Amino acid sequence: MRGRLVKFADLVAAYERLEATTKRLEMRAILSELFQSVPRPELAEVVYLSQGQLRPEYEGVELGVAVSLASRAVAEGTDAAPAHVAERLRALGDLGDVAQELLAVRSAVPTEPLEVREVYQGLLDVAKTSGEGSQDAKIGVLRGLLARTTPVEGKYLIRFVMGTLRLGVREATILDAFAAAYGGGTKEARLRIEAAFNVSSDLGVVAESLVDGGLEALGAIRLTVGRPVRPMLAERAKDLAEVLKRMEGSAALEFKYDGLRVQAHLDENGGVRLFSRRLEELSAQFPELRTELPLALRTAPAIVEGECVPVDPETDEIRPFQDVSRRRGRKYDLDKVADEIPVVLFLFDVLLEGTEETLGLPFPERRARLEKLVQGSTRIRLATQRVVHDTEAAQAFFDESIAEGCEGVMAKSLAPESAYRAGARGFWWIKYKREYTQGLADSIDGVVVGAFHGRGRRAGTYGALLLASYDPAKGTYESFCKVGSGFDDAALQALPERLKPFETAERPNGVETGMEPDRWFTPGLVLEVRGAELSLSPTHRAGLGKVRAGAGFALRFPRFTGRYRDDKGPEDATTVDELLRLYRTQVRRESTGDDDAPEGAPALPPGRKD
Ligand code: AMP
């Protein structure tokens, strides 16, 4: 068949055979035969069509045809009354079957066989038409195609349009078929083909290369700005000792930010496109990142990766990721939510820099490149990193990460083989998260011992307060959190006045903290806070060493409840032993760490992760 235009009937024959089997081997054989029969110019189209798509998935091209619209097209294309179509749909339950039935009894029988190319073009037109009058235009195209299909072709055309093909063809099956068709079916061929798909995310491009030059040609598939790379994934370890063991004693640890993974593509004209972990385009949702990226990176074009997290602009504290997930699905008021939920993109990798593909370089070299490439800005920063050689150092870094509002650490191999492995999960990256805990059942009464100057809207007052817990045994006030959330404007304005009586030039005796606030207070004012959980941190000193040497309790995501406990003196505030009990009674569960499923019972508050 190669060399002539593919008939739609040939594709439909393959669809019928695919539908009739659930065996992966058989599907592979059917697809491999189909692809080999198709001339080069039509190959990509046939590959997409066999996936039930028109374009590679990341482009997000959708037909946008609702059942009412498709029903009208079927009625008009088969000269049937709309009521009759509706009735048959109720009886058969599938509009494709209805089309097939009605086409079998229509009066005018088509003479010219349809070509795949015409169907493909028609469907692409349907997908691209939008706005006023688009409904009629879409119906017009579908009616025109139906007028020329045989009954069985009509069935698959309508199913395709409705997204109900149900052929069971997965990406993996298509990769198998490519390996069978162009690589002798060997395991090695399959691996090379998959690797090419992982960097291009486009099965059409992979198929074309294979036809052009077999497996050897795959190496010529280049990273392309605007075409996302399938993300490298991490393995897990049970503890930090295992992390280091797997990395032969030394690793680069990075904060594991809890947000949305973003792959940013910057073109040479300053254009930016952003893709999620699942390669959906996020460009529209983060206008401020599109503005800042060209300024924050020294070279264009470039492809970089990072984690986008919500950050409180006044205190610069990381907020729970649920805030940023609210921005992901937004379609309207994009600038408004950008102001309401400011984010920071913490960059952790570089895949393309100028014309050079850096993804094959070992990780330490990529990090060095990234550090040179990123000049940084308010919203674009480097992920915090430290190279460690022992578990104590790893634990200290982990504690810092938690104290900063992150969910753990990402360990990255320093080995020469630590290239960026697109789409692959392996021990070159290991994630280690704190155990998930449920939110604290109780509120905590904290004593104000310090304050930090406010910025932005909070200029002139305090942006955050340093709170301490009392240790009656030692008579000390030991810090456990810095709280900036939960103060309304009135409360904020009143803060300096309220705290004035307690102001003191130096750290009062008995106040223990690893933080350096802008202002110190003698312990006096007590206020109530709530938080997601208690964790351990080297910067806070509440109950220092009670659970682990060198670490105190830290309240994660603290929030002022609005209540000043004027009824309590500082010695009546929550004590360190109460914190210890709270810490011990937190409901603990292991992190599932599952990439593809929403976390079963996440740390509070709940939400869905990319
Ligand atoms: P998980 O989603 O729990 O499987 O963890 C992997 C995810 O952590 C990645 O896909 C990123 O979105 C995110 N992440 C956060 N910080 C980093 C980092 N420093 N390096 C790599 N991935 C990170």
Side-chain angles (χ1 to χ4, degrees):
M1 243 191 292
R2 206 183 276 286
R4 68 174 177 83
L5 289 177
V6 185
K7 296 278 177 279
F8 188 45
D10 297 331
L11 180 65
V12 164
Y15 279 173
E16 290 231 280
R17 290 172 63 201
L18 287 167
E19 202 185 5
T21 181
T22 52
K23 296 203 185 74
R24 193 159 157 183
L25 276 181
E26 249 172 69
M27 295 177 113
R28 181 178 84 181
I30 297 163
L31 288 168
S32 150
E33 199 183 300
L34 172 71
F35 298 150
Q36 281 176 288
S37 73
V38 173
R40 163 74 161 81
E42 289 176 81
L43 184 56
E45 294 169 9
V46 170
V47 169
Y48 303 137
L49 288 172
S50 63
Q51 286 181 283
Q53 293 173 2
L54 291 173
R55 296 288 306 151
E57 192 155 0
Y58 71 82
E59 288 189 16
V61 173
E62 281 180 22
L63 281 152
V65 173
V67 65
S68 54
L69 194 147
S71 298
R72 264 180 68 196
V74 170
E76 292 182 21
T78 60
D79 296 325
H84 183 54
V85 172
E87 190 231 300
R88 294 310 296 149
L89 179 58
R90 272 195 300 280
L92 299 177
D94 178 292
L95 195 60
D97 289 340
V98 175
Q100 182 174 26
E101 182 182 277
L102 296 175
L103 285 168
V105 296
R106 88 191 128 176
S107 43
V109 177
T111 49
E112 261 302 278
L114 258 180
E115 278 153 9
V116 162
R117 173 133 285 185
E118 297 171 277
V119 176
Y120 184 82
Q121 271 311 324
L123 293 178
L124 212 51
D125 288 345
V126 170
K128 297 218 162 124
T129 315
S130 63
E132 213 179 315
S134 64
Q135 302 258 333
D136 287 337
K138 285 177 199 255
I139 289 174
V141 173
L142 293 176
R143 186 181 52 217
L145 288 173
L146 277 175
R148 292 185 49 211
T149 58
T150 63
V152 66
E153 289 170 6
K155 170 173 93 175
Y156 284 105
L157 176 74
I158 292 301
R159 284 192 183 167
F160 190 99
V161 166
M162 301 293 303
T164 55
L165 264 187
R166 295 186 299 256
L167 302 179
V169 175
R170 299 183 304 125
E171 265 158 19
T173 322
I174 295 187
L175 293 172
D176 287 348
F178 288 171
Y182 310 106
T186 66
K187 218 170 164 191
E188 201 231 310
R190 175 66 168 72
L191 282 173
R192 286 171 70 177
I193 292 169
E194 181 166 348
F197 174 53
N198 283 336
V199 294
S200 64
S201 311
D202 188 333
L203 290 171
V205 166
V206 174
E208 286 173 352
S209 298
L210 285 166
V211 168
D212 290 345
L215 294 175
E216 293 315 310
L218 293 176
I221 295 181
R222 300 265 71 99
L223 290 193
T224 306
V225 170
R227 196 170 71 187
V229 177
R230 291 157 71 82
M232 176 163 177
L233 305 172
E235 273 292 352
R236 313 174 173 82
K238 71 173 190 318
D239 53 31
L240 289 166
E242 188 195 342
V243 169
L244 282 172
K245 198 164 146 230
R246 293 219 179 244
M247 299 210 163
E248 290 169 6
S250 299
L253 296 191
E254 295 180 352
F255 282 4
K256 185 172 188 303
Y257 300 92
D258 191 8
L260 294 182
R261 185 166 183 162
V262 168
Q263 194 177 95
H265 290 230
L266 170 66
D267 69 29
E268 59 257 25
N269 305 317
V272 173
R273 290 177 70 183
L274 308 171
F275 296 96
S276 77
R277 184 181 176 292
R278 296 208 165 134
L279 314 186
E280 310 147 316
E281 186 146 7
L282 298 171
S283 308
Q285 278 70 36
F286 295 97
E288 76 276 40
L289 297 183
R290 280 186 287 135
T291 314
E292 276 196 25
L293 268 159
L295 307 169
L297 301 186
R298 292 197 170 87
T299 310
I303 301 179
V304 289
E305 257 192 345
E307 189 85 353
C308 177
V309 294
V311 167
D312 186 321
E314 276 140 21
T315 63
D316 214 36
E317 288 168 311
I318 292 177
R319 303 287 313 142
F321 100 90
Q322 281 77 11
D323 285 2
V324 74
S325 67
R326 280 173 48 210
R327 289 191 56 180
R328 184 180 56 178
R330 278 302 269 249
K331 297 224 162 59
Y332 309 102
D333 292 334
L334 295 165
D335 287 314
K336 198 169 138 235
V337 268
D339 288 341
E340 280 170 15
I341 308 172
V343 294
V344 169
L345 179 61
F346 288 96
L347 295 175
F348 54 72
D349 222 316
V350 54
L351 313 187
L352 177 85
E353 185 188 12
T355 51
E356 193 188 347
E357 289 187 4
T358 51
L359 83 171
L361 298 174
F363 177 69
E365 283 182 46
R366 297 206 304 285
R367 174 72 188 196
R369 297 283 192 112
L370 186 67
E371 286 175 11
K372 286 209 193 102
L373 173 65
V374 179
Q375 55 190 359
S377 69
T378 317
R379 294 196 165 96
I380 314 288
R381 306 181 198 169
L382 275 173
T384 302
Q385 185 193 85
R386 187 176 304 154
V387 174
V388 299
H389 311 285
D390 55 59
T391 36
E392 289 70 44
Q395 184 66 52
F397 188 77
F398 178 86
D399 291 344
E400 278 171 42
S401 161
I402 300 293
E404 289 292 320
C406 297
E407 59 171 351
V409 291
M410 265 292 190
K412 303 199 171 166
S413 164
L414 303 169
E417 314 84 272
S418 58
Y420 187 95
R421 284 154 208 261
R425 187 188 298 285
F427 283 99
W428 309 104
W429 283 11
I430 304 178
K431 59 187 171 188
Y432 179 65
K433 298 192 221 181
R434 84 197 133 76
E435 289 179 324
Y436 278 84
T437 54
Q438 307 238 318
L440 280 185
D442 205 0
S443 58
I444 297 174
D445 297 322
V447 187
V448 183
V449 293
F452 300 83
H453 292 315
R455 286 193 269 159
R457 211 158 46 83
R458 297 189 178 185
T461 177
Y462 296 122
L465 303 179
L466 183 63
L467 299 189
S469 155
Y470 183 54
D471 186 344
K474 293 192 276 171
T476 45
Y477 291 92
E478 306 171 342
S479 78
F480 70 87
C481 80
K482 173 179 164 187
V483 59
S485 303
F487 295 93
D488 62 23
D489 285 350
L492 274 179
Q493 290 315 317
L495 269 181
E497 202 47 45
R498 245 196 137 103
L499 283 162
K500 214 169 175 80
F502 309 105
E503 266 180 33
T504 167
E506 283 170 17
R507 180 160 62 88
N509 265 344
V511 168
E512 310 277 6
T513 180
M515 286 200 149
E516 274 297 322
D518 297 311
R519 187 142 271 140
W520 294 103
F521 303 108
T522 45
L525 185 66
V526 180
L527 49 79
E528 189 186 67
V529 287
R530 279 190 168 275
E533 70 177 293
L534 283 173
S535 59
L536 296 173
S537 150
T539 33
H540 288 298
R541 300 290 150 81
L544 189 75
K546 280 187 192 284
V547 175
R548 188 162 60 231
F553 297 117
L555 182 65
R556 279 170 58 82
F557 303 127
R559 190 175 185 83
F560 176 44
T561 61
R563 278 181 72 190
Y564 287 97
R565 298 302 307 256
D566 294 328
D567 55 328
K568 285 193 168 187
E571 294 175 5
D572 307 315
T574 305
T575 63
V576 292
D577 282 323
E578 286 178 84
L579 291 185
L580 175 63
R581 273 197 295 284
L582 266 174
Y583 178 82
R584 290 212 171 119
T585 52
Q586 290 180 125
V587 185
R588 296 185 159 266
R589 59 179 282 277
E590 284 294 321
S591 141
T592 59
D594 192 336
D595 281 286
D596 300 312
E599 308 285 13
L604 288 184
R608 211 179 77 87
K609 175 115 199 209
D610 184 22

